[in-house]
Amino acid sequence: MSFVAEFRQAIEGAQHILAVTHVGPDGDALGSLTAVGQALSRLGKQITMACDSDMPSRFNYLAFIDRVVKRADHRVPYDLLIALDCGDELRMGDVYAHLPEPKPFVVNIDHHITNTYFGRLNWVADCPSTAEMIYHLFNDLGWEIDKNIAMSLLTGVVTDTLGFRTPNVTPTTLRVASALMEAGADLPLITMQTLNLKPLSTLRLWQIGLNQMKIEDGLMWTTITSRDREMIGYRNDSSSGLVNLLADVNRVAIGVVLMEMEDGTIRVGFRSRPPYDVAALAKKLGGGGHPQAAGCTMEGPLAKAEAQIIEMCKVAITQQSPADN
Ligand SMILES: [Mn+2]
């Protein structure tokens, strides 16, 4: 049976559905989550949307965003869990970890190449965003994409492609975006809210990161200490685009940001340009992601993690460098 047919069957047989996306949610995570939440609630299902993080305010324009909760309701007998944009179970944080046994039937819909196929039903596709997958899924199911759902899905498409600029964008991506605009999605508003506007603390973070940046053998990296974070009041667990700046320098193959968190662990973000692949690197360190964008969490201290990352990245650059002629 095809995924669509199995998914349809799972939905038809379920009354209480829990949709979950990853911690530290981005536009694809919240766009996919709210699109699924809207569609299922229209079908008359009892739907809980959960994400184990605070909601970033720039996504306030999304319909249903105010219904996203941090924990599942443990009194509700969920018969289905839909994981969206999660490469593994850990990405769901305590929403999944704290869910009482027996856990519900899990459907895993994701576009990370490092996905562990943790669901009972899995759809993992090589696609620029989970939202683009959801668009195709709704179409195949014959579910209407109204203006609000289109806004959610286009938010995912636009943010995960950084405004259609990543190397995995295809003509299909543009056709999907076009169809979503025709359904009423407001592209300029999405671009302004999610890509252009940023809190001042983001630029303060870039300021610190750019001051510390180092470049050696095609690797450009920087470190942010938890004291830096405290000083500028930065609470996000991603570097909010700083790592993209580093990887976009023309002599650079891989860009890395190491950020020391309050609990002493180190969040590491990787970016690269083709043909360099950072997904395998991140996976080796217990993380995951895409060939050109990946991440992991390491034990401290910062200096030790930094030394290990520099070593691993330099080896990867040497091994993956195309022949000179
Ligand atoms: Mn995504």
Side-chain angles (χ1 to χ4, degrees), residues 28 85 111 160:
D28 191 30
D85 204 37
H111 69 130
D160 260 26

Coordinates of all heavy atoms in Angstrom, one line a residue, residues 28 85 111 160, ligand 1:
D28 N 9.6 25.8 9.0 CA 9.2 24.6 8.4 C 8.5 23.7 9.5 O 7.4 23.1 9.2 CB 10.4 23.8 7.8 CG 9.9 22.6 6.9 OD1 8.8 22.7 6.4 OD2 10.7 21.6 6.9
D85 N 8.9 16.9 10.5 CA 10.2 17.6 10.4 C 11.2 17.1 11.5 O 12.1 17.9 11.9 CB 10.0 19.1 10.5 CG 11.2 19.9 9.8 OD1 11.7 19.5 8.8 OD2 11.5 21.0 10.4
H111 N 12.1 15.3 6.0 CA 12.9 15.4 4.8 C 14.4 15.4 5.2 O 15.2 15.8 4.3 CB 12.5 16.7 4.0 CG 12.9 18.0 4.8 ND1 13.6 19.0 4.2 CD2 12.7 18.4 6.0 CE1 13.7 20.0 5.0 NE2 13.2 19.6 6.2
D160 N 12.8 27.1 4.9 CA 13.8 26.1 4.8 C 14.7 26.2 3.5 O 15.8 25.6 3.4 CB 13.2 24.7 4.8 CG 13.3 24.0 6.2 OD1 13.4 24.8 7.2 OD2 13.3 22.8 6.3
Ligands
MN1 MN 12.6 21.2 7.7

